[in-house]
Structures are given as structure tokens and as C-alpha cells.
Amino acid sequence: MNRRRFLAGTGLSAATASLAAAQDADEVVFHHDKVEPRWEFTAKCIQSTEGKMPDIQLHVKLIKEHPDYRWNDRIKEFRLVWEGQPVEIADRFWNDLTGLWIDVYPDKEIAKVPEDSRWEFDKHLAELHQPKLVLSQDKGTVLIEWSIPQECDGRSTIRWIISKKGTVLRHRDTPFHEC
């Protein structure tokens, strides 16, 4: 057999096989058209501690200011419940914010995602506009992050660090972006 033909043939078949594998891997699992807007949402803590999920929930409700326009939506309700106990949060830490969105992916569609594609799917879920809660390592504070869409495909993030006793720190990060 001609050595050059053999090497070229095996290289071509290997490239074809890797291209086919890449196309299978790039098969779209996350469908953006299935994302649904919501005006009420309960976020749960996403960090496990000592093998169990803590019962920390944030219930938010938005006021829809305009039927076709989401940029002016405001927070109507912002209620944190930590292990069954409500945490008092002063209105000044949330009632001045506008442009917050809540997007969810239907649970029935999440259940259809194959396990081997789940890691990539979870990356897309993490980018949805909705509050996310993470408990600190010492279990004394919870971090709430909520990304906000900005013009020109930009994004800013509101962060709250809230203790069990109700001490609140709020921070807004708006990275530089060009239109």
C-alpha cells in the first residue's frame, strides 16, 4: 500500500470522525425560545452544605409597568426566608431597582436533557435573568446575585450579602462595554 495514501486517508477519516463527534457535541440542547418570562419567582439556595441543601428562599414579585416593554419592571416584593424564619430587609435595599427580569426554563424541558449534556445545559441555565442564592462557607450570610440586561447586549449584576439577622450590603457591578 502507498504510505502517503494511507496517511492521507487515515487523517481524513480521523478528521471526519472528529468533525462528526463535534457536530454531535454541538447539538443544541438549550433552546432559547423555550425560556419563559415571569413576574413572580421563588429562588432557592443552590449550595449544599454537609450533604444537604439549606432551606433559604427568596420570593420576588415584579410590577409590570408596560405590557410589551420589560425595561421598566420594578420589584414589588422582596422577601427572604431562612430556615422558616423571615429575614427583615429594609425597602431601601430593593425598591429603587428597575429593569430586573425573571426568565425561567420549564422544568419539564429540563428533565428531558441527557445526563452527558447536563454540564453544558447548566451553563446556559446559570445565565438566565433570575436571582441566585449561595450560602457562605460559615453559613452566616447568603449572597444573592441577579443579572440585569443593559443596552447593547451588556449586563450588570446586583449583589446583596444578607446575614441571618438582616444586615444587608448591596453592590452593583456594571462592567465596561461598547455599543
Side-chain angles (χ1 to χ4, degrees), residues 61-72:
K61 190 182 289 188
L62 301 178
I63 297 173
K64 184 100 177 111
E65 295 288 338
H66 189 277
D68 300 323
Y69 190 66
R70 294 176 74 181
W71 295 99
N72 290 336

Side-chain angles (χ1 to χ4, degrees), residues 40-127:
E40 191 168 348
F41 183 71
T42 300
K44 297 179 182 177
C45 189
I46 59 173
Q47 183 174 348
S48 168
T49 58
E50 298 168 3
K52 67 176 190 152
M53 295 299 287
D55 184 22
I56 304 172
Q57 300 179 10
L58 174 69
H59 181 76
V60 292
K61 190 182 289 188
L62 301 178
I63 297 173
K64 184 100 177 111
E65 295 288 338
H66 189 277
D68 300 323
Y69 190 66
R70 294 176 74 181
W71 295 99
N72 290 336
D73 292 355
R74 296 185 299 113
I75 300 176
K76 178 180 181 180
E77 187 177 317
F78 190 88
R79 191 181 56 213
L80 183 68
V81 178
W82 195 314
E83 299 291 339
Q85 299 297 318
V87 177
E88 292 296 322
I89 300 170
D91 292 358
R92 70 178 186 272
F93 290 109
W94 55 267
N95 71 353
D96 62 329
L97 298 170
T98 60
L100 294 160
W101 294 6
I102 300 172
D103 290 327
V104 296
Y105 203 83
D107 289 337
K108 64 182 179 179
E109 296 296 327
I110 294 173
K112 296 177 184 177
V113 177
E115 193 62 39
D116 59 339
S117 300
R118 188 57 194 241
W119 66 274
E120 185 176 356
F121 183 80
D122 287 343
K123 287 192 311 186
H124 290 286
L125 282 180
E127 293 175 0

Side-chain angles (χ1 to χ4, degrees), residues 147-176:
S147 67
I148 302 172
Q150 302 290 325
E151 70 271 351
C152 306
D153 292 331
R155 187 181 275 229
S156 67
T157 304
I158 302 288
R159 291 180 179 91
W160 295 267
I161 297 176
I162 304 174
S163 72
K164 283 183 183 180
K165 296 177 183 174
T167 304
V168 179
L169 296 172
R170 185 176 94 174
H171 177 268
R172 183 174 191 152
D173 177 38
T174 307
F176 176 76

